[in-house]
Amino acid sequence: MNQATTAPATEQPLVRAAMPAKAADRFIRNTWYVAMWSADLEPGKMVARTLLNEPIVFFRKEDGGIAAMTDRCSHRFAPLSMGKLMAGDRVQCIYHGLEFGADGKCVKNPHGNCTIPAAAHLKAYTVVERHTLLWIWMGDKTPDPSKIPDYSCLDDRPDLHITRPGYLSVKANYELVVDNLLDLSHTSYVHAGILGNADTVEADIKVEQTGDVVAVSRPSKNADTPGILKMMSPPGFERGDQWSTISWYAPCYMILEFGVSKPGEPKEKGTGYFALHLLTPETERTTHYHYSAARWNVLTEGDEKNSAIRDKIFEMRTFAFAEQDVPVIEAQQRLMDQSRTPLSPVLLAIDAGPTRYRRVLDRLLSEDARPQ
Ligand code: FES
Ligand SMILES: [Fe+2]
């Protein structure tokens, strides 16, 4: 007769051991990341977001500040974001009712003798609201709000000239998205007609580094004006001198200055916009992509016209990213993952910008890993 070999249920561990640690990711932890647009966090609501592989729940406190803590109850790992936001900035877990304060401390255990085990507390994060965005500090070192990248062009001009907050979820590593944005040459191919054209293919690329900031420029003279610039210019800008400079701020922030002036005229007489790109790694294979644009030296007149131009800029850029860039980037990621052997890219002259920022990023990654 067969003996039963299964251990009695009482001998089974209550909770399985944690999964083995994953291979190291390439995320700088001691820096600021965009968690979301401010407008995405409504009072009285909780928002869950995974950032750098960590599940986090956000809510607005009664004093207007922002709370952020691990979105995984310490008891049986239910998401707190499925629970209830209560008076006094408390979150009640949906599963068995543990309650947590905005600082992540467990403040109520409704069971047994109601004692609160020290291990019940959750990690809380510092969040700063600035430039209409929520910035979170994920590392163990002391957060320094003066290091938040300068996106003040979202604050210092009328809403009429700022496009609404854009967001895309990209199924690729954030470095592939930075590569794409710092490589201005792809606009002539991927975005032909909208952001670039045949006239801009041969423009010279200049790469400059100031401290840890890498800037890639690609000016062109007396060239056919790309559609998006033509759309926001008065008559007479059908051809022009264009400037296109994208600056990278570690680890994944970019500001592109893009504009056109009449042939031979100085930049100050031209018009254009700052294109703002803010990336946050969600996992090694997914990225939160926030974007907006702020017009510079507006030359078109009338609120109705400028409001229509603002919305058109948003539509054209969203089309360029969502329908043109993202499919290519996600396909790159899939092909790289499929390869059975390590891949080493062939380098072209146009890769100077991405190569330079990678060098800075590699150094910052090794500095970040050192203890404070
Ligand atoms: S899982 Fe949260 S209280 Fe049990
Ligand atoms: Fe692009």
Side-chain angles (χ1 to χ4, degrees):
M1 195 163 121
N2 288 338
Q3 295 280 310
T5 52
T6 309
T10 49
E11 289 178 23
Q12 297 289 334
L14 282 172
V15 176
R16 283 178 205 290
M19 297 290 284
K22 288 195 209 157
D25 53 49
R26 279 173 55 86
F27 304 149
I28 294 178
R29 288 200 147 62
N30 291 286
T31 190
W32 294 97
Y33 285 100
V34 170
M36 66 194 78
W37 290 100
S38 293
D40 291 338
L41 189 60
E42 293 173 38
K45 298 239 172 88
M46 290 191 280
V47 173
R49 211 160 231 210
T50 296
L51 308 173
L52 281 58
N53 279 322
E54 296 182 32
I56 301 174
V57 58
F58 297 83
F59 62 88
R60 288 189 186 272
K61 295 190 284 187
E62 289 169 359
D63 68 3
I66 311 290
M69 68 178 95
T70 303
D71 189 20
R72 185 178 50 225
C73 179
S74 44
H75 176 224
R76 291 298 186 91
F77 315 136
L80 290 186
S81 53
M82 289 178 76
K84 206 188 288 172
L85 185 55
M86 303 168 69
D89 299 330
R90 290 173 167 219
V91 180
Q92 184 184 62
C93 180
I94 191 175
Y95 212 177
H96 313 97
L98 282 186
E99 289 180 24
F100 299 86
D103 58 0
K105 293 228 167 70
C106 183
V107 291
K108 183 170 176 187
N109 168 13
H111 305 287
N113 65 5
C114 300
T115 54
I116 296 172
H121 304 316
L122 298 173
K123 180 171 178 179
Y125 300 85
T126 301
V127 178
V128 171
E129 191 161 13
R130 189 174 291 177
H131 308 321
T132 67
L133 293 148
L134 302 185
W135 301 84
I136 185 168
W137 184 271
M138 308 281 293
D140 296 328
K141 298 177 188 170
T142 311
D144 177 357
S146 73
K147 299 268 168 63
I148 291 176
D150 182 5
Y151 278 89
S152 53
C153 60
L154 287 168
D155 309 318
D156 65 7
R157 64 203 67 211
D159 285 351
L160 185 61
H161 301 319
I162 299 174
T163 64
R164 60 182 178 271
Y167 172 82
L168 290 170
S169 171
V170 184
K171 293 185 191 67
N173 183 279
Y174 77 99
E175 291 183 54
L176 285 183
V177 189
V178 179
D179 288 347
N180 166 282
L181 290 164
L182 270 193
D183 153 32
L184 295 172
S185 68
H186 83 274
T187 56
S188 307
Y189 296 93
V190 178
H191 308 301
I194 302 180
L195 306 178
N197 52 45
D199 273 5
T200 56
V201 174
E202 289 176 7
D204 281 342
I205 292 175
K206 191 166 93 186
V207 179
E208 284 173 305
Q209 186 177 341
T210 311
D212 288 339
V213 180
V214 175
V216 182
S217 307
R218 197 159 180 267
S220 44
K221 295 276 181 208
N222 195 14
D224 193 17
T225 304
I228 198 163
L229 290 176
K230 221 180 267 181
M231 184 271 296
M232 68 177 77
S233 303
F237 284 73
E238 291 73 21
R239 287 186 72 79
D241 296 344
Q242 291 158 39
W243 63 91
S244 180
T245 300
I246 187 155
S247 301
W248 171 84
Y249 303 84
C252 32
Y253 299 106
M254 276 141 292
I255 299 180
L256 167 71
E257 201 184 341
F258 191 34
V260 60
S261 55
K262 288 181 184 170
E265 289 205 339
K267 186 175 167 182
E268 293 69 37
K269 288 194 167 178
T271 190
Y273 63 96
F274 294 112
L276 314 169
H277 306 271
L278 307 100
L279 310 175
T280 306
E282 180 182 35
T283 66
E284 288 89 347
R285 292 289 179 272
T286 51
T287 300
H288 299 292
Y289 183 3
H290 306 87
Y291 61 95
S292 182
R295 290 182 73 189
W296 181 86
N297 203 26
V298 175
L299 297 178
T300 47
E301 287 174 9
D303 286 2
E304 209 175 309
K305 182 175 178 69
N306 282 326
S307 162
I309 289 175
R310 176 193 59 194
D311 294 346
K312 190 73 186 159
I313 295 172
F314 178 84
E315 279 168 32
M316 290 173 95
R317 296 184 75 228
T318 300
F319 175 80
F321 305 148
E323 308 293 329
Q324 297 182 322
D325 284 313
V326 169
V328 175
I329 296 169
E330 291 183 344
Q332 276 180 288
Q333 182 72 69
R334 285 195 299 275
L335 289 179
M336 288 163 68
D337 287 345
Q338 252 173 33
S339 175
R340 293 165 59 195
T341 52
L343 293 171
S344 182
V346 170
L347 286 181
L348 307 178
I350 53 173
D351 296 315
T355 305
R356 182 70 69 93
Y357 100 83
R358 285 273 170 125
R359 210 179 296 155
V360 178
L361 185 66
D362 287 347
R363 176 173 53 73
L364 294 175
L365 278 162
S366 58
E367 285 172 12
D368 187 59
R370 282 187 219 135
Q372 193 162 23

